[in-house]
């Protein structure tokens, strides 16, 4: 069930099969600026400040006249503003960069220090856009000439196989600092913040007050205790591998991982499960979660450069690991959504998203717990 046909151009070097040494490429020096851009301004008013930033941070642009620049909004995430900044080079060509402005209050759910520590090493390893500069409330990166994947793209077998191969290489990147997994720390931090919110809107407050945080805390502790028994490998994980963070240049057949805001050391199975949960797409149809055959196709390509040779017991183990952390993914984003419901200016029903994700957790709980308990029991008796 490995990928067939022409080979793909992956995004990075790094280890092939599991168990190989981690790779750490030396990052280049990245220019920094203490300047900031007010994200609340309309684009025309923001433009002069963005141009000044690009002149300061992008090599070779400092002497360009402001009339050479054009700026447009790029579709992207729901927590940042993404801009494409282009400059004319002669009469027929132009070069472009991406400017990402952090959304207000995103520091409540994103560790920017952790992100900025990791980006240079991921960039040096060939992942994502090349980091060109850092400023007070954002970054400047090279522009990727590729299309953003759709949720339905991700489950296409050939693309799924390539995502698996590149994710395995991503997991081999060595980021300096503590290698302690952050998943449960982050979840408990979110839980603490989410449990003491106050909403000005009375209807939102009433819905919020129906939530039992004692129940959620008990569920998280039980899930953590169960997952700890699996001794899942700890890797540097993307943690947000949805379709919007995957790009494909169809002409070159080159796949890109982008946006490492939630990246941290975490559990291998969590990163894979979180990706599988994103098959649900923008309509959050979790019936689209990949079936066992589709998961095993992904696992074979993740575990080996020779997918057909992967042993069944290794597939079974990763299947159990992934579907245990499937539950953790739902809890993480449910609590994340509660915090966003209180602080985000974006017009999105974050409170409804909490109930959707936590509801899916409860729906899948029995299957996932039984799967894991059965697997552990077979290990003890086998």
């Amino acid at each position: 069930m490995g990928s067939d046909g022409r080979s793909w151009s992956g995004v990075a070097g790094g280890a092939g099969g599991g168990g190989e040494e981690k790779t750490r490429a030396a990052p280049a020096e990245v220019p920094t600026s203490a300047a900031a851009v007010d994200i609340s301004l309309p684009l025309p008013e923001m433009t002069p400040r963005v141009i000044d930033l690009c002149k300061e941070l992008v090599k070779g642009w400092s002497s360009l006249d402001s009339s050479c620049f054009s700026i447009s909004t790029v579709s992207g995430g729901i927590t940042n503003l993404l801009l494409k900044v282009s400059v004319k080079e002669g009469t027929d060509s132009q070069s472009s960069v991406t400017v990402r402005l952090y959304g207000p209050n995103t520091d409540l759910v994103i560790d920017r220090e952790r992100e900025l520590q990791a980006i240079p090493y991921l960039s040096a390893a060939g992942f994502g856009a090349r980091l060109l500069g850092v400023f007070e409330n954002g970054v400047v990166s090279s522009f990727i000439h590729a299309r953003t994947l759709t949720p339905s793209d991700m489950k296409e077998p050939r693309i799924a196989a390539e995502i698996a191969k590149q994710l395995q290489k991503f997991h081999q990147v060595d980021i300096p600092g503590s290698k302690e997994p952050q998943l449960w720390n982050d979840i408990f931090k979110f839980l603490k913040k989410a449990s003491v919110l106050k909403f000005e809107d009375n209807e939102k407050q009433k819905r919020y007050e129906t939530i039992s945080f004692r129940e959620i805390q008990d569920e998280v502790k039980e899930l953590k205790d169960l997952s700890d028994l699996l001794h899942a490998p700890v890797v540097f994980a993307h943690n947000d591998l949805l379709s919007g963070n995957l790009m494909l240049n169809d002409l070159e057949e080159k796949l890109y991982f982008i946006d490492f805001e939630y990246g941290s050391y975490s559990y291998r199975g969590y990163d894979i499960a979180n990706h599988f949960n994103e098959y649900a797409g923008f309509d959050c149809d979790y019936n689209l979660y990949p079936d066992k055959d589709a998961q095993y196709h992904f696992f074979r390509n993740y575990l080996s450069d020779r997918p057909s040779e992967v042993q069944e017991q290794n597939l079974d183990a990763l299947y159990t690991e992934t579907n245990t952390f499937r539950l953790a993914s739902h809890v993480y984003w449910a609590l994340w959504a509660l915090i966003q419901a209180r602080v985000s200016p974006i017009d999105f029903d974050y409170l409804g998203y909490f109930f959707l994700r936590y509801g899916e957790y409860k729906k899948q709980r029995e299957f996932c717990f039984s799967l894991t308990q059965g697997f552990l029991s077979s290990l003890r008796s086998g």
Side-chain angles (χ1 to χ4, degrees), residues 1-18:
M1 293 179 67
S3 58
D4 299 318
R6 293 168 57 190
S7 62
W8 288 58
S9 298
V11 295

Side-chain angles (χ1 to χ4, degrees), residues 152-219:
S152 60
D153 286 330
M154 295 194 305
K155 62 185 178 183
E156 197 278 312
R158 195 152 168 258
I159 293 178
E162 184 60 19
I163 293 171
K165 292 172 184 175
Q166 295 309 321
L167 185 59
Q168 199 282 332
K169 292 176 182 177
F170 188 94
H171 287 167
Q172 297 301 316
V173 179
D174 181 20
I175 305 298
S178 172
K179 305 297 192 287
E180 287 297 311
Q182 296 302 307
L183 174 64
W184 301 112
N185 291 339
D186 289 345
I187 287 178
F188 282 116
K189 285 177 187 176
F190 284 2
L191 181 58
K192 184 177 180 180
K193 292 175 182 177
S195 64
V196 293
L197 300 175
K198 296 290 183 183
F199 292 89
E200 295 176 3
D201 183 285
N202 288 334
E203 288 303 313
K204 283 186 178 180
Q205 185 64 27
K206 287 178 183 177
R207 292 179 74 194
Y208 172 75
E209 289 174 358
T210 66
I211 301 168
S212 171
F213 289 100
R214 174 61 63 85
E215 175 191 289
I216 296 173
Q217 180 170 296
D218 290 344
E219 288 290 341

Side-chain angles (χ1 to χ4, degrees), residues 117-335:
Q117 180 191 32
I119 286 177
Y121 290 91
L122 294 168
S123 179
F127 285 99
R130 186 163 52 91
L131 185 64
L132 302 177
V134 177
F135 56 97
E136 181 65 24
N137 64 326
V139 295
V140 181
S141 306
S142 61
F143 185 80
I144 296 176
H145 295 275
R147 67 178 178 88
T148 303
L149 292 189
T150 65
S152 60
D153 286 330
M154 295 194 305
K155 62 185 178 183
E156 197 278 312
R158 195 152 168 258
I159 293 178
E162 184 60 19
I163 293 171
K165 292 172 184 175
Q166 295 309 321
L167 185 59
Q168 199 282 332
K169 292 176 182 177
F170 188 94
H171 287 167
Q172 297 301 316
V173 179
D174 181 20
I175 305 298
S178 172
K179 305 297 192 287
E180 287 297 311
Q182 296 302 307
L183 174 64
W184 301 112
N185 291 339
D186 289 345
I187 287 178
F188 282 116
K189 285 177 187 176
F190 284 2
L191 181 58
K192 184 177 180 180
K193 292 175 182 177
S195 64
V196 293
L197 300 175
K198 296 290 183 183
F199 292 89
E200 295 176 3
D201 183 285
N202 288 334
E203 288 303 313
K204 283 186 178 180
Q205 185 64 27
K206 287 178 183 177
R207 292 179 74 194
Y208 172 75
E209 289 174 358
T210 66
I211 301 168
S212 171
F213 289 100
R214 174 61 63 85
E215 175 191 289
I216 296 173
Q217 180 170 296
D218 290 344
E219 288 290 341
V220 170
K221 287 181 177 178
E222 188 174 359
L223 178 59
K224 179 184 183 301
D225 289 345
L226 182 64
S227 68
D228 284 347
L229 298 174
L230 293 173
H231 304 291
V234 175
V235 298
F236 190 82
H238 186 287
N239 294 326
D240 191 26
L241 208 57
L242 73 167
S243 62
N245 288 336
L246 291 161
M247 301 185 74
L248 177 64
N249 183 311
D250 291 294
L251 187 62
E252 299 177 4
E253 294 193 327
K254 188 171 183 178
L255 180 72
Y256 297 87
F257 290 5
I258 64 169
D259 289 359
F260 310 120
E261 292 181 302
Y262 294 93
S264 70
Y265 274 93
S266 190
Y267 303 97
R268 172 185 68 174
Y270 176 81
D271 213 11
I272 297 172
N274 192 71
H275 173 65
F276 286 168
N277 276 336
E278 294 297 341
Y279 279 41
F282 308 114
D283 295 328
C284 298
D285 181 0
Y286 291 103
N287 292 315
L288 297 175
Y289 188 86
D291 63 21
K292 193 172 184 178
D293 286 343
Q295 290 185 55
Y296 275 34
H297 169 68
F298 189 98
F299 298 154
R300 285 188 178 94
N301 285 278
Y302 176 90
L303 290 169
S304 177
D305 291 332
R306 295 181 290 276
S308 62
E309 297 179 14
V310 177
Q311 298 297 308
E312 196 72 18
Q313 65 264 30
N314 294 332
L315 294 171
D316 294 342
L318 187 50
Y319 177 74
T320 302
E321 179 189 326
T322 297
N323 286 281
T324 306
F325 285 106
R326 172 186 186 180
L327 296 177
S329 169
H330 285 305
V331 172
Y332 180 99
W333 292 110
L335 295 170

